[in-house]
């Protein structure tokens, strides 16, 4: 048990330990609950599992302590000790790497989250989980200081730029607050920024598809995912571009938004948010040494390996050049330079 433990982990372990085909599920009244540990305070995992076999029922109470995380510079450790109905003594387990996260609300920085690093599908994945209490208070502050309600932005910078996958998690109740106050959500990671108007999360539609009641939006997790594509896929996209006389000047990147919830039985349901009613932005920094005049357009890759052009503008900020790519869908994106010339126009003024 550590900060990475989820309801599915405990449920899977309980099912594996059960005999005679007993059914195991989280109790409807006392489901899985977790308070993450920090360097200054213990955390905990609590809840009740209900076992059913041939109309007979039993309940197992779960109560585990997550030990404090090591203070910076003290090394790792931080396992968990058992309590409640758990058996045995305490054990030490390595924890994931965890760092504090600064979130920027209307230009002001706040410590409002944590960044953890783990391995997912063979790739290093960094996940940012926001502190809802802090975020709620900063939303209120931003509303008070910006009564006209325009230009509200919450930016989540991802410090780790080497991991193959970056994920930012928001809960449904926070997304609803952001939507009702016309916020844009910006995920900034190195040379990529992903900007989504909060209304485009369509939180009500997501809740309906997940079967979550309006007063339980806190049970929805919205995961915004930005992933660097592997070399094999990237090379296939480069070949597709070259076949059309173009070059990729930015490595292809995948953008995805998924809403998730865990039901009373510990099973996770998800709903992919892939289409938008208004443009969402992907801002890509043009690599050093590339002439801005070489930029032709941003592109979105289709499922059949082809690509389509999407509205793109090039702009300069603080001495650096960027391509702003707008689209109405999530998928894999890049920016191209089209080197094709028309022979008849080569020496014409129209060139």
């Amino acid at each position: 048990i550590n900060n990475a433990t989820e309801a599915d982990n405990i449920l899977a372990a309980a099912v594996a330990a059960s005999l005679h085909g007993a059914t195991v599920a989280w109790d409807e009244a006392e489901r899985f609950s977790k308070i993450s540990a920090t360097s200054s305070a213990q955390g905990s995992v609590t809840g009740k599992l209900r076992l059913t076999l041939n109309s007979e029922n039993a309940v197992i109470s779960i109560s585990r302590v997550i030990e404090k995380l090591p203070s910076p510079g003290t090394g790792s450790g931080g396992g968990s000790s058992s309590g409640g109905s758990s058996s045995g003594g305490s054990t030490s387990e390595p924890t994931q790497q965890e760092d504090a996260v600064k979130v920027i609300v209307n230009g002001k920085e706040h410590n409002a989250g944590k960044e953890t690093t783990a391995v997912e599908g063979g790739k290093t994945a960094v996940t940012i989980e926001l502190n809802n209490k802090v975020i709620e208070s900063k939303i209120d502050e931003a509303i008070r200081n910006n009564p006209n309600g325009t230009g509200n932005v919450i930016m989540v910078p991802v410090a780790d730029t080497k991991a193959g996958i970056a994920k930012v998690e928001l809960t449904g109740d926070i997304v609803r607050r952001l939507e009702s106050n016309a916020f844009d959500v910006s995920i900034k990671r190195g040379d990529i920024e992903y900007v989504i108007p909060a209304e485009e999360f369509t939180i009500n539609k997501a809740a309906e598809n997940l079967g979550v009641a309006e007063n339980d939006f806190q049970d929805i997790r919205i995961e915004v995912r930005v992933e660097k594509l592997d070399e094999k896929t990237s090379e296939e996209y480069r070949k597709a571009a070259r076949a059309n006389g173009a070059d990729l000047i930015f490595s292809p990147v995948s953008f995805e938004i998924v809403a998730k919830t865990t039901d009373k039985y510990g099973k996770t349901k998800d709903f992919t948010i892939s289409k938008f009613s208004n443009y969402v932005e992907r801002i890509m920094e043009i690599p050093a040494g590339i002439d801005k005049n070489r930029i032709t357009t941003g592109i979105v890759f289709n499922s059949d390996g082809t690509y389509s052009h999407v509205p793109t503008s090039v702009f300069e900020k603080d001495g650096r050049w960027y391509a702003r790519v707008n689209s109405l869908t999530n998928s894999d994106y890049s920016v191209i330079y089209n080197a094709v010339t028309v022979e008849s126009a080569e020496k014409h003024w129209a060139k």
Side-chain angles (χ1 to χ4, degrees):
I1 305 291
N2 56 35
N3 281 351
T5 301
E6 298 293 348
D8 285 351
N9 304 133
I10 294 178
L11 184 64
V15 170
S18 299
L19 301 176
H20 311 299
T23 300
V24 186
W26 286 103
D27 184 76
E28 187 170 355
E30 298 186 53
R31 298 165 59 184
F32 173 85
S33 177
K34 179 177 69 176
I35 299 174
S36 296
T38 67
S39 58
S40 59
Q42 291 180 327
S44 63
V45 167
T46 57
K48 287 185 177 180
L49 289 170
R50 184 169 294 278
L51 279 67
T52 304
L53 179 63
N54 298 330
S55 301
E56 298 292 328
N57 292 282
V59 173
I60 298 176
S61 295
I62 306 295
S63 180
R64 298 291 298 272
V65 172
I66 305 174
E67 297 295 350
K68 294 180 183 179
L69 300 179
S71 299
T74 62
S76 63
S80 61
S81 62
S82 60
S85 61
S86 303
S87 61
S90 62
T91 59
S92 293
E93 300 174 357
T95 61
Q96 295 173 311
Q97 179 181 335
E98 185 171 303
D99 300 294
V101 170
K102 290 187 181 297
V103 176
I104 303 170
V105 181
N106 286 0
K108 295 183 179 180
E109 285 191 357
H110 311 280
N111 289 320
K114 61 182 180 181
E115 180 177 300
T116 57
T117 304
V119 176
E120 180 180 311
K123 287 185 177 181
T124 302
V126 57
T127 301
I128 290 181
E129 182 181 346
L130 301 184
N131 183 317
N132 279 9
K133 289 184 179 180
V134 175
I135 294 299
E136 286 179 351
S137 68
K138 299 311 172 187
I139 291 173
D140 291 338
E141 181 181 315
I143 294 169
R144 289 195 302 270
N145 295 335
N146 186 27
N148 63 15
T150 60
N152 288 325
V153 179
I154 177 170
M155 175 183 282
V156 184
V158 181
D160 187 327
T161 59
K162 295 181 180 180
I165 302 168
K167 298 185 290 185
V168 174
E169 293 184 352
L170 305 160
T171 55
D173 53 334
I174 291 296
V175 169
R176 181 164 54 181
R177 294 271 337 258
L178 294 171
E179 177 183 337
S180 62
N181 291 285
F183 270 82
D184 285 346
V185 178
S186 167
I187 311 301
K188 179 73 169 70
R189 186 189 186 208
D191 54 4
I192 302 170
E193 184 176 1
Y194 186 24
V195 184
I196 315 107
E199 64 181 350
E200 295 301 330
F201 289 107
T202 56
I203 190 61
N204 290 327
K205 181 179 179 181
E208 181 180 348
N209 278 272
L210 294 172
V212 175
E214 186 175 353
N215 59 348
D216 292 328
F217 275 27
Q218 70 278 0
D219 293 336
I220 301 174
R221 301 191 315 277
I222 301 292
E223 181 181 286
V224 183
R225 181 185 180 104
V226 179
E227 180 176 358
K228 299 177 183 177
L229 298 182
D230 59 62
E231 185 55 34
K232 180 180 178 181
T233 303
S234 296
E235 182 55 30
E236 290 175 355
Y237 285 160
R238 291 189 194 101
K239 288 180 180 178
R242 286 196 292 266
N244 288 283
D247 292 318
L248 300 186
I249 65 169
F250 197 94
S251 295
V253 180
S254 173
F255 299 86
E256 184 179 36
I257 301 174
V258 180
K260 300 180 179 181
T261 191
T262 302
D263 64 20
K264 63 183 180 181
Y265 303 109
K267 294 183 179 179
T268 298
K269 295 176 64 177
D270 59 63
F271 172 71
T272 299
I273 302 166
S274 59
K275 295 182 179 180
F276 310 106
S277 58
N278 295 291
Y279 282 131
V280 299
E281 293 183 355
R282 296 157 183 85
I283 299 172
M284 303 179 180
E285 183 179 340
I286 298 172
I290 296 294
D291 184 351
K292 68 181 186 300
N293 295 315
R294 295 186 64 192
I295 303 297
T296 300
T297 185
I299 57 173
V300 56
F301 292 97
N302 305 313
S303 58
D304 62 359
T306 62
Y307 61 84
S308 303
H309 295 201
V310 289
T312 305
S313 60
V314 177
F315 66 97
E316 185 268 342
K317 181 179 179 182
D318 298 330
R320 297 183 179 184
W321 287 90
Y322 301 85
R324 178 184 287 110
V325 179
N326 293 290
S327 80
L328 298 172
T329 61
N330 268 338
S331 186
D332 303 338
Y333 285 82
S334 185
V335 178
I336 62 170
Y337 159 63
N338 195 328
V340 170
T341 60
V342 179
E343 185 175 353
S344 62
E346 183 64 26
K347 296 181 180 180
H348 192 272
W349 61 268
K351 176 187 174 184

